[in-house]
Amino acid sequence: MTKDFSSQRLHVKAFAQAGGRLAGQDSLLKYERLAQEAKGLHPDLRVDWEAVGEMRQIADGAAQVWLRLQVRAGFPMECQRCLTTVDVPLEVGRRFRFVADEATAEALDDSCEEDLLAMSREFDLRALIEDELLMALPAVPKHDECPRPVAQAFPDDDFDAALAEKPNPFAALADLRKFRMGT
């Protein structure tokens, strides 16, 4: 018998025990918090994802509940150099181990290298996908090469005049070098 699982109300342990697999292609518009970070959002932007549950046996014979998550998306952001839209490819590949509750996850967090989540009968897989994509966003999005030249400075007559009036603070070093060289 094949059991149907829902990505919005996932019984994690049953999903892992069944070796379940869920996959989907959603519109980026379904992820509200992520959509707030986008520039030039449109309905054709997609989030492709896959989740696989598994049970892993550990040394003492106990079984652990695991979830493997793969997510890919193209995400429009504002280039911080040229201020035009840049499509940022996002890719997430993570494994999560589920533990009994939040208190256990918090207690084990410092001593475990794996990512821990609390077990749930109504786990929201799409919320996890959105969280992971938000964490994958670059802090400073930019093109490898901007599509138009970027002005590096803006003319400011007052600044230029003040700069011309000030002597170079390192001019004294040049004078010392001349003195030391005997010229």
Side-chain angles (χ1 to χ4, degrees):
M1 176 175 107
T2 301
K3 180 171 177 153
D4 290 332
F5 294 100
S6 166
S7 63
Q8 292 172 311
R9 293 175 47 146
L10 184 63
H11 187 301
V12 178
K13 188 172 184 178
F15 182 68
Q17 288 172 331
R21 178 186 173 279
L22 286 171
Q25 186 180 62
D26 300 328
S27 169
L28 195 56
L29 296 171
K30 283 187 175 182
Y31 300 91
E32 291 177 21
R33 293 177 297 143
L34 192 59
Q36 292 173 2
E37 301 294 324
K39 177 175 173 111
L41 195 61
H42 57 84
D44 295 336
L45 293 171
R46 299 277 177 230
V47 175
D48 296 314
W49 59 270
E50 177 185 48
V52 177
E54 61 185 61
M55 297 297 290
R56 290 189 188 170
Q57 300 298 323
I58 55 175
D60 67 1
Q64 295 178 335
V65 176
W66 285 80
L67 178 77
R68 180 175 42 92
L69 181 65
Q70 293 288 129
V71 184
R72 286 191 180 96
F75 193 74
M77 296 184 81
E78 183 174 72
C79 174
Q80 298 301 296
R81 256 191 305 233
C82 67
L83 304 179
T84 62
T85 302
V86 57
D87 289 325
V88 176
L90 299 177
E91 194 162 328
V92 174
R94 302 278 302 269
R95 293 180 187 271
F96 302 93
R97 180 166 66 105
F98 284 81
V99 294
D101 52 35
E102 289 289 337
T104 305
E106 191 174 317
L108 294 174
D109 191 43
D110 290 336
S111 63
C112 292
E113 290 190 25
E114 62 265 13
D115 293 313
L116 301 174
L117 295 174
M119 190 76 67
S120 173
R121 290 177 166 263
E122 294 189 1
F123 184 76
D124 189 349
L125 183 58
R126 285 209 169 98
L128 177 64
I129 291 168
E130 185 171 35
D131 289 344
E132 293 301 316
L133 287 173
L134 283 166
M135 288 189 293
L137 290 176
V140 181
K142 58 186 176 183
H143 293 100
D144 290 333
E145 241 180 80
C146 290
R148 64 178 188 210
V150 178
Q152 296 298 322
F154 294 97
D156 184 343
D157 295 334
D158 294 334
F159 179 78
D160 291 339
L163 190 59
E165 291 174 11
K166 277 187 170 180
N168 183 342
F170 296 102
L173 293 176
D175 290 342
L176 285 175
R177 184 172 180 204
K178 287 179 192 175
F179 175 75
R180 186 171 178 200
M181 301 288 257
T183 55

